[in-house]
Amino acid sequence: MRPFLRLVLLAGVVATPAVAQPHKAAAPAKPASSASNAPKQLGKFEDWIAATHQESGAAVCYAFTRAQSSAPSLPGRGEVVLTVTQRPAGRDAVAISAGFPYAQGATVTVQVDQSGHDFYTAGRNAFARDGKALVSAFQKGSRAIARSPGPKDQQVTDTFSLSGFSAAYAATVKACPPK
């Protein structure tokens, strides 16, 4: 159970207010004051997990998956996680936690079947410019391939399964419906 909670917490960190304001320095994390703030799994859907937690008194729901493969292998690289988040103030926020810091101004391209989608970067994260279009592509696609500049000008390729995405996404929308 501990590895799941660690992953849920990691996905929650990826999908925190940095999505809405990646250019501002993040405030130090506050320890959860009660168990009600702890992430709660909504379900596991093939390769995706849906979860929710409380943030400033509001429910935040997200679906996430880890990269199935990454190339090249980078020493010391953290986990690579793709997350889609639903907040009251923002829907369909799509982010990738790369496991390494991107160069300033780097661009990431995510290919879903035949369509390409641009992400901008901030620190160790990349954010979709058009989350709604990407969610639509995820629902129709079978895999997502993220290509980005990595350390030492290496091209990094991360592959994510989209198997189970539609069900995980539906669980997040049900738990955090649009207002």
Side-chain angles (χ1 to χ4, degrees):
M1 189 61 144
R2 284 185 185 261
F4 165 76
L5 287 177
R6 183 173 57 102
L7 188 57
V8 169
L9 289 171
L10 173 65
V13 168
V14 168
T16 56
V19 172
Q21 301 171 352
H23 60 282
K24 293 184 180 177
K30 295 179 185 176
S33 57
S34 71
S36 66
N37 288 339
K40 295 181 181 94
Q41 184 174 335
L42 298 171
K44 179 155 177 34
F45 306 91
E46 297 179 51
D47 295 328
W48 285 75
I49 294 173
T52 186
H53 74 274
Q54 292 291 309
E55 187 176 277
S56 301
V60 174
C61 299
Y62 51 96
F64 67 96
T65 190
R66 288 184 281 172
Q68 284 187 318
S69 65
S70 296
S73 177
L74 300 173
R77 186 176 189 191
E79 290 190 285
V80 183
V81 182
L82 174 62
T83 307
V84 179
T85 305
Q86 308 302 326
R87 283 189 170 77
R91 310 296 297 175
D92 298 342
V94 182
I96 297 172
S97 174
F100 63 83
Y102 290 109
Q104 187 171 353
T107 300
V108 175
T109 302
V110 174
Q111 182 178 342
V112 181
D113 294 334
Q114 301 304 313
S115 64
H117 303 269
D118 289 332
F119 282 54
Y120 64 93
T121 59
R124 299 170 71 88
N125 300 304
F127 305 96
R129 294 188 185 279
D130 185 351
K132 185 175 181 177
L134 200 50
V135 165
S136 178
F138 285 177
Q139 290 175 322
K140 298 172 190 165
S142 60
R143 68 181 178 163
I145 302 171
R147 291 183 176 85
S148 64
K152 300 179 185 174
D153 295 323
Q154 293 177 308
Q155 175 74 14
V156 175
T157 303
D158 299 306
T159 303
F160 302 91
S161 168
L162 297 176
S163 181
F165 171 76
S166 291
Y169 178 76
T172 65
V173 171
K174 181 178 179 183
C176 293
K179 302 278 179 191

